């Protein structure tokens, strides 16, 4: 006799966190690609895990900053050199998260009297509130003028921050605009090139795209790149999506590995027991079922070397103007401008 199927529905707070369109997209992704889109884990419990990482049990202790948090600050002077001398700079932060990676650049621009404005867009209202609070704490005299809006920058919402009227800079000159995708955000998507092309299509010739990424240097590769590792490593927020839709963690095991064909590191759940999740999608109900042995991808990361990163940007209509490694050589800052 087989194991009885677990029939579940999402948690009570699910309808509050996700719009009808997001629920439909999620069901399609689970049903057709066997993937929980990682960007949707920034809502609900996922955002709380980010908040816990920012807040310390000891209020006097500063958050531990990694290379992805500091590399933009370390190269702020070189970034400013990409703009004409004395020209003001406006920052558009796509997926700001905790804002740790960008705060040093904001400070640098303020100290140089060259900050024309700061705008941010994130899918998560909870993370936007965390970002707003952090900015107010660091820039109490300026943060009220910063603009933070909820939206999906991979779709038409991007127009709200990238086609908005510019703020005149020094001498009435239009500012240069730094469009920021920090923390390797873009490489978590199923099709990073599509996201890059979308952002490029909304950029002007005066904009500069800033990316911070972890790249493959060919050395110090973790063991799971050669053989799938069962049970981790993974971050708790990578399982937050399955928690939210009612899938108990005892019903699957996690697997972490490397897909050589796609050059992607992945975390997936492999089911040990049959599970059926039923969703309300508008007036309809749709069920997604999983049998033992089925997998659901919960996190992906495009893991390329520096040449492949530069080639991808070129194919997306962007020209690399700065490529800097951090102290950890796997962490890089890339600045790219639209090809004219």
């Amino acid at each position: 006799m087989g194991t009885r199927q677990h029939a579940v529905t999402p948690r009570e707070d699910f309808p509050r966190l996700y719009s009808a369109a997001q629920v439909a997209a999620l069901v399609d992704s689970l049903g057709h690609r066997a993937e929980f889109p990682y960007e949707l884990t920034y809502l609900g419990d996922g955002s709380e895990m980010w908040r816990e990482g920012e807040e310390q049990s000891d209020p006097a202790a500063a958050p531990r900053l990694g290379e992805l948090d500091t590399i933009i600050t370390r190269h702020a002077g070189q970034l400013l050199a990409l703009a004409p001398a004395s020209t003001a700079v406006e920052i558009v932060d796509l997926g700001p998260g905790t804002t740790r990676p960008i705060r040093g650049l904001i400070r640098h621009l303020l100290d140089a009297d060259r900050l024309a404005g700061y705008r941010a867009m994130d899918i998560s209202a909870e993370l936007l509130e965390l970002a707003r609070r952090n900015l107010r704490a660091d820039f109490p005299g300026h943060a009220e003028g910063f603009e933070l809006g909820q939206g999906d920058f991979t779709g038409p919402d991007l127009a709200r921050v990238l086609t908005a009227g510019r703020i005149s800079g020094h001498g009435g000159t239009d500012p240069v605009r730094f469009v920021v995708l920090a923390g390797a955000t873009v490489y978590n998507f199923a099709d990073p090139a599509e996201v890059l092309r979308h952002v490029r299509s909304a950029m002007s010739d005066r904009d500069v795209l800033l990316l911070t990424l972890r790249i493959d240097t060919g050395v110090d590769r973790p063991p799971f790149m050669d053989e799938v590792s069962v049970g981790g490593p993974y971050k708790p927020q990578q399982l937050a999506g399955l928690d939210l839709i009612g899938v108990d963690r005892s019903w699957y095991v996690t697997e972490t590995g490397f897909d050589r064909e796609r050059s992607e590191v992945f975390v997936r759940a492999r089911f040990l027991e049959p599970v059926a999740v039923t969703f309300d999608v508008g007036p309809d109900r749709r069920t997604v079922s999983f049998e033992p042995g089925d997998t659901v991808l919960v996190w992906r990361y495009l893991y390329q070397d520096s040449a492949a990163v530069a080639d991808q940007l070129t194919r997306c209509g962007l020209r690399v103007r700065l490529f800097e490694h951090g102290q950890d050589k796997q962490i890089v800052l890339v600045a790219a401008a639209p090809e004219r």
Side-chain angles (χ1 to χ4, degrees), residues 158-237:
L158 181 66
R160 298 213 306 266
V161 286
L162 279 186
T163 61
R166 291 181 178 274
I167 305 167
S168 291
H170 297 192
T173 304
D174 283 345
V176 169
R177 187 163 53 185
F178 287 166
V179 181
V180 182
L181 280 163
T185 297
V186 70
Y187 277 9
N188 292 142
F189 288 98
D191 190 346
E194 181 181 5
V195 177
L196 288 170
R197 286 191 295 268
H198 177 62
V199 173
R200 163 63 187 92
S201 69
M203 292 171 63
S204 78
D205 289 344
R206 289 174 61 83
D207 293 342
V208 179
L209 179 66
L210 306 186
L211 303 172
T212 60
L213 307 168
R214 181 178 295 276
I215 66 167
D216 183 4
T217 60
V219 298
D220 296 328
R221 289 184 164 188
F224 63 73
M225 289 191 68
D226 295 319
E227 184 176 358
V228 172
S229 173
V230 177
Y234 64 87
K235 295 180 179 179
Q237 56 262 44

Side-chain angles (χ1 to χ4, degrees), residues 287-303:
T287 298
V288 181
S289 298
F290 305 99
E291 297 297 325
D294 288 349
T295 62
V296 170
L297 192 71
V298 295
W299 179 78
R300 61 165 79 232
Y301 181 75
L302 186 62
Y303 195 54

Side-chain angles (χ1 to χ4, degrees), residues 64-125:
R64 184 172 62 86
L65 299 180
E67 286 277 339
L68 285 170
D69 296 318
T70 60
I71 192 168
I72 291 178
T73 303
R74 190 176 307 119
H75 296 284
Q78 290 166 273
L79 292 173
L80 256 64
L82 299 178
S86 301
T87 302
V89 176
E90 182 181 16
I91 296 174
V92 174
D93 200 354
L94 303 179
T98 66
T99 68
R100 282 187 201 169
I102 202 66
R103 280 181 251 162
L105 179 60
I106 293 174
R107 173 58 59 198
H108 195 92
L109 289 167
L110 285 171
D111 290 345
D113 192 27
R114 293 182 65 180
L115 182 68
Y118 174 86
R119 293 179 180 145
M121 175 170 283
D122 201 291
I123 195 172
S124 168

